[in-house]
Amino acid sequence: MMPGDTQPTRPLHGVLHVIHGHGGGTEHHARALIDASRNRYRHHLAIAIGDRWRIEAHQDDGSVRTFDFVRGAAESWTAFIGGLCASFGIDVIHLHNITGSRDGIVEALAALDIPYGYTIHDFNFACPTILFLGVDGMYCGAQTDPSFCAHCLAAQPPFAEIDIVAWRTRHRALLARTAFLLAPSRYTGETLAKYYPERPFDVVPHGAPGVWAMRPEGDDDDARTSAPARSMTLALPADDIPTIAVLGAVGPDKGARRLERLADLVRATGTRVRFVLIGYMDVQHGPWQSDDAVLTVHGRYDPRALRSLFAHYRVSLVAYPSAGPETFSFTLSEAWAAKRPVFVPPFGALAERLAGTGAGWVWTDDEWRDEAKMLRRMVAALAPENAPALAAASECAGRIPQATLADMARRTLAHYDAAIASRARSAAVPPLEWARVRDAEQHA
């Protein structure tokens, strides 16, 4: 651009977001951050899976250029990642999840002079099970004793060969060099600090995507999403049996097996309640419904349609029968924005976020560990005599202020700015060959 030209220019600084290839809340957060701050930084998203890295170069207009790279057999991780950063003009790296290329990322970042930081989306740096799941598949309480953890991992075949001391030592070295460490909740930061107390963290809540449902009833968003929601739903019997919803992509850690057992308990006891999973299960991506309509799986959903979906399925409250702790929970933001109270476990970010709001209830530890007691507590909350308390909790849910994308972006970018300002430059790794970058670009 020539001097005096008033046309807008691209941001000077580039950031590389590193994620795994499993989607979910981690990828959702990274993309939301990109969308909220593309006018301040040039954003690049690396989906890292072993030696294969897909790089998305996000443009000012929202379009994306995609490149597929494969690390060479004799190419060091430092040359590969450093070359990618040099080729795309990366000034800071934001790690969201490194499980796809853990060893390579640790090796490269120990040698490169590019500042980097980490957002704690789960606890894989402290525990290979990710969410502190014991032999029984349930939350262990975040045990820190290496001998206890070694015994626990040895009893779980996928993790039996892992040396937990070496595991934590490797991640301690990675965290020691971070320019910033971000946690979406205080519980998340304080829990990781039990294992790495020397590294301070900053709590930056994930922004609700526009907090869409906080807008007045009947606005354009509601009108646009109500018809599609109705056309894609499954029918429930025309009766007065209340429905409890579970939201999101639900695997064993989020309570998939527990949800199935809750449905079985309803059948065995004749309890007047139904469950609907607005989302999908590891074994059932939906749509699907049991013959008795006790359990319905809606399938993937647009969060903007959630109010309509709740109304269609007659959802009175939302439950989180998780086996392990949440670090934030986008679906909690969605449930509250759609004015539904919740039941949550007595730990993790869910309990932290609920505390003092009046927008739901926390199971006791005894109730959380026993599905029969869990069910009785929810059914009691739905009893006619407790209707005023349920209505009050719903009103509280709709009034809860939530962090916006702009708030999240502003606070995160302040860490990028500080990291770049304090960078001590040394000899740079050369960029990848131009022809290699050219050939890596994917065209529709």
Side-chain angles (χ1 to χ4, degrees):
M1 182 171 293
M2 299 299 291
D5 195 334
T6 60
Q7 294 298 314
T9 60
R10 293 211 72 192
L12 292 176
H13 294 304
V15 57
L16 179 68
H17 300 269
V18 179
I19 65 173
H20 51 39
H22 305 307
T26 298
E27 181 173 339
H28 178 89
H29 166 74
R31 293 188 182 280
L33 183 55
I34 290 170
D35 288 341
S37 58
R38 65 177 70 254
N39 64 327
R40 284 281 316 278
Y41 268 77
R42 290 180 293 102
H43 289 278
H44 301 75
L45 181 71
I47 302 173
I49 305 175
D51 293 329
R52 296 181 176 273
W53 284 42
R54 167 162 286 198
I55 305 294
E56 295 180 0
H58 288 253
Q59 308 300 300
D60 295 347
D61 61 1
S63 63
V64 178
R65 296 175 65 188
T66 303
F67 303 79
D68 286 343
F69 292 95
V70 180
R71 185 175 70 96
E75 186 175 23
S76 72
W77 278 103
T78 300
F80 179 59
I81 296 179
L84 288 173
C85 290
S87 297
F88 290 98
I90 301 302
D91 299 286
V92 61
I93 297 173
H94 190 160
L95 304 176
H96 296 273
N97 191 291
I98 69 170
T99 56
S101 299
R102 188 186 308 272
D103 292 340
I105 292 170
V106 171
E107 176 186 323
L109 294 186
L112 295 171
D113 75 335
I114 303 170
Y116 65 89
Y118 176 57
T119 289
I120 314 166
H121 291 283
D122 59 39
F123 299 109
N124 78 90
F125 280 17
C127 176
T129 72
I130 300 177
L131 294 176
F132 304 115
L133 301 181
V135 178
D136 60 355
M138 302 285 275
Y139 180 47
C140 74
Q143 299 290 329
T144 59
D145 179 16
S147 61
F148 178 97
C149 298
H151 180 76
C152 176
L153 294 175
Q156 302 185 57
F159 312 111
E161 302 301 318
I162 293 177
D163 180 337
I164 190 60
V165 173
W167 180 274
R168 290 173 181 163
T169 298
R170 175 169 51 167
H171 292 110
R172 176 172 286 105
L174 180 70
L175 286 173
R177 299 185 68 243
T178 54
F180 56 87
L181 180 62
L182 307 181
S185 63
R186 181 152 298 280
Y187 162 82
T188 299
E190 290 177 348
T191 299
L192 195 68
K194 293 170 61 176
Y195 303 86
Y196 308 105
E198 63 278 3
R199 188 65 187 87
F201 62 89
D202 185 20
V203 177
V204 180
H206 294 330
V211 196
W212 58 269
M214 294 294 224
R215 296 170 183 165
E217 291 280 4
D219 73 359
D220 289 343
D221 273 5
D222 284 321
R224 285 196 299 269
T225 58
S226 58
R230 283 196 296 269
S231 67
M232 297 170 61
T233 54
L234 298 174
L236 293 180
D239 53 33
D240 61 351
I241 295 178
T243 303
I244 297 171
V246 176
L247 298 181
V250 179
D253 58 322
K254 301 282 188 179
R257 306 290 81 78
R258 309 196 79 192
L259 178 57
E260 293 167 342
R261 290 194 292 270
L262 284 165
D264 288 341
L265 279 168
V266 168
R267 298 184 183 102
T269 59
T271 303
R272 287 176 52 80
V273 72
R274 291 192 178 93
F275 288 95
V276 59
L277 170 55
I278 300 179
Y280 58 93
M281 201 181 296
D282 56 335
V283 296
Q284 180 61 55
H285 285 207
W288 174 87
Q289 188 177 78
S290 62
D291 292 340
D292 55 10
V294 168
L295 177 59
T296 298
V297 178
H298 171 80
R300 295 177 185 272
Y301 66 98
D302 183 337
R304 293 171 298 179
L306 198 52
R307 280 188 178 180
S308 297
L309 292 173
F310 281 164
H312 171 82
Y313 290 115
R314 306 194 296 271
V315 172
S316 299
L317 57 84
V318 177
Y320 292 83
S322 308
E326 292 278 359
T327 57
F328 180 74
S329 181
F330 283 112
T331 61
L332 179 61
S333 299
E334 293 171 1
W336 278 345
K339 297 186 176 181
R340 291 303 188 277
V342 298
F343 263 98
V344 304
F347 52 76
L350 290 168
E352 174 187 321
R353 294 182 65 189
L354 178 58
T357 66
W361 302 270
V362 178
W363 288 301
T364 66
D365 186 73
D366 188 45
E367 290 167 339
W368 168 73
R369 293 184 180 278
D370 185 327
E371 280 101 15
K373 295 177 180 178
M374 179 186 288
L375 178 62
R376 284 198 293 271
R377 179 82 184 280
M378 291 189 291
V379 170
L382 295 172
E385 61 269 22
N386 290 323
L390 184 66
S394 298
E395 286 302 311
C396 289
R399 291 197 299 267
I400 292 175
Q402 300 190 41
T404 66
L405 291 176
D407 293 335
M408 176 186 72
R410 175 181 54 79
R411 295 184 58 185
T412 303
L413 266 58
H415 287 282
Y416 294 173
D417 294 342
I420 293 171
S422 62
R423 178 180 181 180
R425 294 184 178 272
S426 59
V429 174
L432 304 179
E433 293 182 1
W434 175 82
R436 184 178 179 186
V437 177
R438 177 201 62 199
D439 294 344
E441 185 166 8
Q442 304 300 298
H443 301 280

